Amino acid sequence: MRLRNIPGSREAIAESHWCIQEPEQYKGNWQQVFCSGNPIHIEIGMGKGQFLMTLAKQNPGINYIGIEKYSSVLLRALQKMEEEPLENIRFIRMEAETICDIFQENEIAKIYLNFSDPWPKDRHAKRRLTSRQFFARYNSILAKEGNVEFKTDNRELFDFSLEEVKEAGWKLDGITRDLHRDESMNAGNVMTEYEERFSSMGNSIYKLIASR
């Protein structure tokens, strides 16, 4: 899907208090941004921010960083933050491939991947956020006891992800092919904008939790 460019979105992002400019300078020192020693959770491909903002409200003792590469999408999240500020959340506009340049070893406590781009062509498999190449990146920044949570409505991507978890040498701590009917896996679930839309259409939501 082609995203509509919003004039002035990059300028607005550059001026926003909530969006970190030159994030590389905080590698290993992200607690300086939040002025606390609380654990840091990140969402890669955060969209308009509903999921992460809900978590930030529910968990003031956790710091959240949302990563989004599209300026027009990130702008919507920043507009929401202006309406209801949350000091335990920040955003970065960046490509996911460079996360190891932004975060230090063991710096992140949890990683969320929600309704990621499926990159359906086989030649683009390594670009999928649940590919073994990305799990190698997560291995570099995730704390020893940390984990990755992934949700999607795309069955092919989910099946691919299950295999990639194993190929990456990780283990599956939880798996469901119908999240909203799975009482244990759905406990405390926070829905994204896409999740609300897809589930209202009758689509099954798949979820896995992986750790090392």
Side-chain angles (χ1 to χ4, degrees), residues 77-114:
L78 296 177
Q79 291 170 339
K80 292 178 184 178
M81 286 290 285
E82 293 296 335
E83 296 172 3
E84 189 174 1
L86 295 163
E87 286 301 331
N88 63 328
I89 186 169
R90 293 292 186 275
F91 305 116
I92 306 173
R93 189 183 71 80
M94 59 175 280
E95 296 281 350
E97 287 84 354
T98 63
I99 56 172
C100 293
D101 296 331
I102 308 302
F103 303 109
Q104 188 169 276
E105 184 178 0
N106 300 321
E107 195 164 23
I108 303 303
K110 184 185 284 288
I111 298 171
Y112 297 101
L113 310 172
N114 292 313

Side-chain angles (χ1 to χ4, degrees), residues 58-76:
Q58 293 178 351
N59 304 285
I62 297 174
N63 295 325
Y64 295 91
I65 298 175
I67 294 170
E68 176 56 54
K69 67 178 179 179
Y70 296 112
S71 299
S72 56
V73 178
L74 177 54
L75 180 62
R76 298 305 188 197

